[in-house]
Amino acid sequence: HTICVISRANMTAPAPDADFQETLCGCFDDMGICCMSYWCPCIQQGRNAADLDGKPGDMDMLTCILPFIIGGDCTFMFFNYMHREKLRRLMNYRENPGGDCLISFYCWRCSTCQIAREIKKKNIAEIARARNSTMVVVQAGVPGGYPPQGYPMQPQGLSTTAAGLPATGLSATGLPAARLPATGLRTA
């Protein structure tokens, strides 16, 4: 049988020597993010965490509440460092653990603002969401073949397209084919 993987993250990552486009001291470039990062850093860090996890518009409550349970600044510094590293991995930015550690310790509010502006400017929340979502479609009707456990099988007797999607307009998952992404189709 053939398994087609449809990935929504068919994007070219920046070169490994790339770095943050937003400056650390550019806080006043977006006053809304600046104010949120300075006066309500727990909320801004919760938003940053959700965006980096591919959940735009949401807020990571653990990141938001934990600093009050454990004790403020050290928790903010830790989360800020983790967000910087996650953003670097997600965007294929040059690694800089020493610099990120120093920035997260001494300038965590400015760094929180920098991360939020970088997320907003490059639409990183959507990139993270796309990279976290991959759909697997199994082509049914192959003699002697069956889908791996956990993958839905198309009912017998339905014709399929070349990509293994049912000609009925439904995908092998039962979703309308029009809702499937059109990019990133490859055979595994």
Side-chain angles (χ1 to χ4, degrees):
H1 61 279
T2 302
I3 298 176
C4 297
V5 178
I6 301 172
S7 174
R8 297 179 188 173
N10 192 15
M11 302 169 201
T12 305
D17 61 344
D19 207 350
F20 286 87
Q21 301 299 307
E22 295 292 317
T23 63
L24 185 63
C25 297
C27 297
F28 299 118
D29 293 346
D30 187 320
M31 287 304 293
I33 290 175
C34 176
C35 290
M36 188 64 71
S37 297
Y38 186 77
W39 285 300
C40 302
C42 58
I43 293 174
Q44 188 59 61
Q45 283 199 349
R47 288 178 179 171
N48 289 353
D51 287 344
L52 291 170
D53 286 337
K55 301 171 189 164
D58 204 355
M59 184 173 3
D60 182 62
M61 293 307 291
L62 179 65
T63 305
C64 189
I65 294 172
L66 201 58
F68 296 106
I69 296 171
I70 293 179
D73 283 359
C74 291
T75 311
F76 286 126
M77 293 171 196
F78 171 76
F79 282 130
N80 188 268
Y81 177 80
M82 299 308 291
H83 296 162
R84 291 184 73 81
E85 292 299 305
K86 188 167 192 172
L87 180 60
R88 286 186 185 281
R89 282 191 311 274
L90 184 66
M91 294 305 294
N92 198 27
Y93 289 164
R94 175 177 32 93
E95 291 183 17
N96 187 3
D100 286 342
C101 184
L102 289 172
I103 288 170
S104 296
F105 185 78
Y106 290 107
C107 308
W108 65 266
R109 287 183 196 260
C110 293
S111 178
T112 298
C113 185
Q114 178 190 28
I115 291 167
R117 289 188 335 270
E118 189 88 5
I119 288 169
K120 182 178 178 180
K121 180 179 183 177
K122 295 199 170 195
N123 204 15
I124 291 172
E126 291 300 321
I127 294 170
R129 183 172 64 163
R131 288 194 177 162
N132 290 337
S133 62
T134 301
M135 195 175 301
V136 177
V137 179
V138 178
Q139 182 176 356
V142 178
Y146 59 90
Q149 185 176 3
Y151 294 114
M153 181 185 285
Q154 176 185 346
Q156 294 295 328
L158 294 178
S159 61
T160 60
T161 63
L165 300 175
T168 61
L170 295 178
S171 71
T173 61
L175 296 173
R179 298 187 71 194
L180 294 173
T183 62
L185 184 64
R186 62 183 186 272
T187 303

